[in-house]
Amino acid sequence: MERAVGAGELAPGETLPPVRELAAELGVNPNTVASAYRALRDRGVIETAGRRGSRVRARPASAPRDLIRVEAPEGVRDVATGNPDPALLPPLGAALAAAAERAAAPPTLYGAPGVDPELERLARAAFAADGVPDGPIAVTSGSLDAIERALDAHLKPGDAVAVEDPGWGSLLDLIPALGLRAVPVALDDDGPLPGEVDRALRQGARAIVITARAQNPTGAAIGAARARELRAVLSRHPQALLIEDDHGHGIVDIPLRPVVGGTAHWVLVRSVAKAYGPDLRLAVFTGDTVTVDRVRGRLRLGPGWVSHLLQHAVVELWRTEAVDARAVAASYGRRRDALVRALRARGIEARGRSGMNVW
């Protein structure tokens, strides 16, 4: 079934045969089919709905994305990809050339530190300037990579994760692919509602993922008052893992109001994708020592490290202030507000407080 989903022979949303019917057709014990369905569900391929049966997930983990995307008609601009405006991205040639020159003497070899010291220094200073608690620095291949590794460091299949609803599609795909369960948390323009967060954690969620600014897809941003309320709630659940995603760093002009620090285990992640380009594939994050050490340990056993060439390039971009964050935020803000007004003029209620998103 997993191969058929990957090949497009089983389509997203397609209903699967009942357990006993498939068992009779294959000549096997129903428990065998039920076990296979559980494995497919844990791998994020199918979903089960009790008496309504089982079906292929709308976005199964093993399905190619081109099988499930909505194609924009000719002459219509597709704004659903989440890509930054290329005109607002800095040219990378000079930064990459500087990185190559730096890597030549001496080149990075096995045994080198996973994080470039200058990148670590700049990232730590930026976190401190925004009031993020002190913690070690790690580098991953983008925000979602960091989130996945942090979840994997503390959770096991079957555990529940509280997530914003509506929320980031890639995260909602990742959670079942890891064998975890998503618990929805409602939000408004100021971010997750404190009562909803408390409810999800009281119901057993072992982790929560929230977006600091430029929430995808609503554009919500956590203000000072909401941050205090959320920290108060989280202080009542100190063993929960808190993951705060600040992917909008560099493209929003709303100040960061960090929520992290009130739980024993936490991370705050910043990607360079939106401000400097998705192909750099780099995110920095900080957190409590145990979580960061676990992530760095698993990195060493897998890819080892994120390319120091890319790290050096990002250092050069930061050092030369290649991105004018205020100008970028203003450009996205003008277009976001114009789209909201245009939708409302046509009777469609819409909102979007920060970043690229309109809901």
Side-chain angles (χ1 to χ4, degrees):
M1 283 185 173
E2 189 169 8
R3 284 197 300 270
V5 170
E9 297 165 8
L10 280 175
E14 187 167 337
T15 302
L16 301 176
V19 169
R20 292 191 178 279
E21 179 181 313
L22 184 56
E25 180 181 337
L26 298 176
V28 298
N29 191 295
N31 290 338
T32 301
V33 176
S35 177
Y37 277 16
R38 281 195 299 272
L40 288 166
R41 183 189 62 208
D42 291 344
R43 292 177 65 84
V45 179
I46 71 171
E47 57 189 5
T48 54
R51 293 178 179 273
R52 291 178 299 192
S54 301
R55 66 186 64 233
V56 179
R57 291 188 74 241
R59 296 185 65 170
S62 57
R65 283 295 177 261
D66 56 1
L67 293 179
I68 52 182
R69 63 175 297 168
V70 176
E71 296 291 343
E74 184 178 353
V76 174
R77 180 176 297 178
D78 184 358
V79 296
T81 61
N83 278 313
D85 181 355
L88 297 178
L89 298 176
L92 300 182
L96 291 169
E101 183 177 353
R102 180 178 172 185
T108 301
L109 301 174
Y110 294 117
V115 182
D116 175 76
E118 183 66 4
L119 182 84
E120 183 172 10
R121 184 187 70 80
L122 293 173
R124 179 66 264 161
F127 282 134
D130 282 334
V132 179
D134 188 35
I137 301 292
V139 179
T140 57
S141 297
S143 290
L144 199 63
D145 185 34
I147 293 170
E148 176 180 358
R149 292 180 184 279
L151 290 171
D152 191 55
H154 287 284
L155 275 62
K156 62 183 185 301
D159 285 342
V161 181
V163 293
E164 296 160 335
D165 179 24
W168 182 23
S170 294
L171 176 64
L172 300 181
D173 289 342
L174 173 66
I175 287 173
L178 294 175
L180 306 173
R181 295 184 295 108
V183 178
V185 170
L187 71 157
D188 60 16
D189 286 348
D190 285 326
L193 299 174
E196 286 281 287
V197 172
D198 187 56
R199 173 193 56 77
L201 294 175
R202 283 190 290 102
Q203 290 178 352
R206 294 195 56 211
I208 180 169
V209 183
I210 64 176
T211 311
R213 303 175 284 189
Q215 197 268 351
N216 187 343
T218 69
I222 296 174
R226 180 60 54 83
R228 288 193 296 270
E229 293 171 332
L230 290 172
R231 282 194 296 271
V233 169
L234 290 163
S235 68
R236 300 196 291 269
H237 305 274
Q239 296 309 308
L241 168 65
L242 169 60
I243 300 174
E244 191 165 0
D245 181 10
D246 188 28
H247 78 100
H249 178 68
I251 67 164
V252 294
D253 52 8
I254 295 176
L256 176 70
R257 306 296 184 185
V259 178
V260 295
T263 57
H265 301 299
W266 60 274
V267 296
L268 190 143
V269 187
R270 277 180 171 168
S271 167
V272 303
K274 293 295 190 292
Y276 298 91
D279 200 34
L280 283 171
R281 306 311 309 140
L282 189 143
V284 295
F285 76 91
T286 185
D288 69 278
T289 301
V290 169
T291 302
V292 177
D293 282 349
R294 288 180 181 179
V295 170
R296 291 194 297 205
R298 288 299 300 272
L299 272 168
R300 285 194 295 270
L301 297 174
W305 65 88
V306 174
S307 167
H308 279 252
L309 283 168
L310 295 181
Q311 293 189 47
H312 294 163
V314 170
V315 166
E316 186 69 12
L317 291 166
W318 286 349
R319 187 184 63 80
T320 60
E321 298 183 345
V323 168
D324 183 341
R326 289 183 180 274
V328 170
S331 178
Y332 286 130
R334 286 191 297 270
R335 285 180 273 184
R336 184 185 65 245
D337 293 344
L339 179 55
V340 168
R341 288 194 300 270
L343 289 169
R344 286 177 177 169
R346 289 159 175 79
I348 302 172
E349 188 64 27
R351 68 181 196 267
R353 184 179 170 197
S354 64
M356 306 175 180
N357 294 294
V358 169
W359 177 253

